[in-house]
Amino acid sequence: MQAKPLIATLLGSAVLALGLSGPAVAGSWDDMDPQEFEAVLDKKFAEGNYSKQGADNCLMCHRRSEKVMALFDGVHGRADQSKSPMAGLQCEACHGPMGTHNRGGKEPMITFGENAPLSAEKQNSVCLSCHQGEERMAWHSSVHNLEEVACSSCHQVHVAQDPILDRKTEVETCTSCHTRQKADMNKRSSHPMKWADMTCSDCHNPHGSMSEAALTSTTVNDTCYECHAEKRGPFLYEHAPVAEDCAACHNPHGSVNDAMLTQRAPQLCQSCHASPHSGSPIFNSGEDRMTAGKSCLNCHSQVHGSNHPNGSALQR
């Protein structure tokens, strides 16, 4: 673990930290207001007073906690892996230098989670001091970062297996916040996400991307084509909305209509095609060929595009 990147991201300005005269430490760190809490942490990092005993010093008090000891069941607790915190500064790699914390427990350490007094930005800076790379290149412009979502809101460290990194439990973790998508997934027509045959990360990068909706591919269509290659084309006769955006007709998270359509035909078709057949006696005679079954698709079956010489009306 490198201390310098952590200090640069977590503390902001070392000059400010060194210039502190030492704020009064409250009776317990739970009693500190957030500004005082961060000021004490800034000073501790500037001093860099790490324990020479590492995790052994921490475990003298914390070994009775099952949650703490669960760290050693996962990758973050493995001393035999060079990139693991336990191979470097150990507990202090994430929770900060001990200083005089073990002398009565009145000096604060970095804590993570919803009830932590430290801001999500500074919590995340600890994680990002190690977890950088291609998948997190766009993190700073991602919706999760802009909405101040902490890494610990999705990830768990003190466990054998982080639930969000398991395909069987990933969707459950994501939909604990994304409730609208959870509702769509349970509609009659949806991708097989309830059975973990697909996961959110198959289409989205939760750490951000250069495309809309944090998609893994450049566009919505390119993302869809990764599975639905037969819809890619090129076609001799293209259907404009298909080439533009699959989501113009489909709700990718699920719908009450067949094929995840946002509306059922003919209403969906008539949202663009207001006039075709409207004056036709067949259409207005009470016969159901225009509305029953697949409606417009009874005739215009190649709605995604056609390569047939007579397929200009997407009928062949």
Side-chain angles (χ1 to χ4, degrees):
M1 173 64 66
Q2 296 179 353
K4 288 184 179 179
L6 179 58
I7 293 172
T9 54
L10 182 61
L11 308 185
S13 171
V15 175
L16 176 60
L18 290 172
L20 290 171
S21 59
V25 177
S28 168
W29 66 358
D30 294 331
D31 300 328
M32 293 183 183
D33 61 55
Q35 291 182 344
E36 182 183 12
F37 185 87
E38 291 190 20
V40 174
L41 287 177
D42 288 351
K43 187 173 186 292
K44 287 181 64 177
F45 268 96
E47 293 172 348
N49 187 11
Y50 291 91
S51 169
K52 294 181 180 180
Q53 295 178 324
D56 290 338
N57 207 340
C58 304
L59 294 177
M60 289 178 65
C61 295
H62 296 288
R63 67 190 309 161
R64 295 183 181 86
S65 169
E66 292 183 3
K67 182 177 181 180
V68 170
M69 298 306 293
L71 171 72
F72 299 99
D73 296 330
V75 294
H76 287 83
R78 296 190 59 177
D80 60 339
Q81 293 191 5
S82 61
K83 294 183 179 181
S84 169
M86 203 52 60
L89 293 172
Q90 300 187 346
C91 304
E92 293 169 283
C94 298
H95 295 284
M98 180 174 289
T100 61
H101 169 74
N102 60 334
R103 300 173 189 173
K106 295 180 180 180
E107 191 170 276
M109 303 290 288
I110 298 173
T111 57
F112 301 88
E114 183 180 355
N115 298 321
L118 202 61
S119 67
E121 179 184 4
K122 290 198 173 183
Q123 289 184 51
N124 292 348
S125 70
V126 177
C127 306
L128 293 171
S129 65
C130 287
H131 294 281
Q132 298 186 23
E134 183 178 347
E135 290 186 357
R136 284 163 286 276
M137 286 180 61
W139 167 253
H140 293 290
S141 60
S142 69
V143 173
H144 283 137
N145 180 52
L146 297 176
E147 292 293 332
E148 299 182 348
V149 176
C151 302
S152 57
S153 297
C154 304
H155 293 279
Q156 297 182 34
V157 173
H158 286 250
V159 290
Q161 174 66 41
D162 186 352
I164 203 167
L165 299 182
D166 187 336
R167 290 184 65 88
K168 294 180 180 179
T169 52
E170 177 187 328
V171 174
E172 180 182 353
T173 304
C174 296
T175 53
S176 64
C177 290
H178 298 281
T179 54
R180 181 174 181 177
Q181 285 71 25
K182 181 178 182 178
D184 288 339
M185 290 174 196
N186 286 281
K187 292 177 180 177
R188 62 184 293 267
S189 177
S190 64
H191 282 115
M193 301 183 73
K194 292 181 290 186
W195 302 277
D197 291 334
M198 281 184 66
T199 65
C200 305
S201 59
D202 288 335
C203 299
H204 302 278
N205 182 346
H207 300 109
S209 73
M210 300 301 176
S211 60
E212 61 179 310
L215 292 171
T216 54
S217 297
T218 308
T219 65
V220 173
N221 283 21
D222 287 337
T223 304
C224 300
Y225 294 153
E226 290 180 6
C227 295
H228 303 282
E230 75 282 2
K231 306 296 191 297
R232 182 190 298 273
F235 295 109
L236 180 62
Y237 298 104
E238 289 188 336
H239 193 183
V242 173
E244 181 181 352
D245 188 347
C246 301
C249 297
H250 301 277
N251 181 343
H253 295 106
S255 169
V256 295
N257 303 307
D258 288 338
M260 294 185 287
L261 292 173
T262 56
Q263 301 179 71
R264 58 170 301 189
Q267 285 81 8
L268 176 61
C269 305
Q270 290 174 336
S271 63
C272 291
H273 304 283
S275 59
H277 306 298
S278 60
S280 168
I282 296 178
F283 190 78
N284 296 293
S285 63
E287 296 189 23
D288 59 4
R289 73 180 68 178
M290 300 295 183
T291 56
K294 293 188 176 181
S295 188
C296 304
L297 277 70
N298 288 330
C299 298
H300 304 282
S301 57
Q302 302 302 311
V303 68
H304 290 98
S306 173
N307 282 321
H308 193 280
N310 290 327
S312 59
L314 304 181
Q315 291 178 305
R316 301 183 181 186

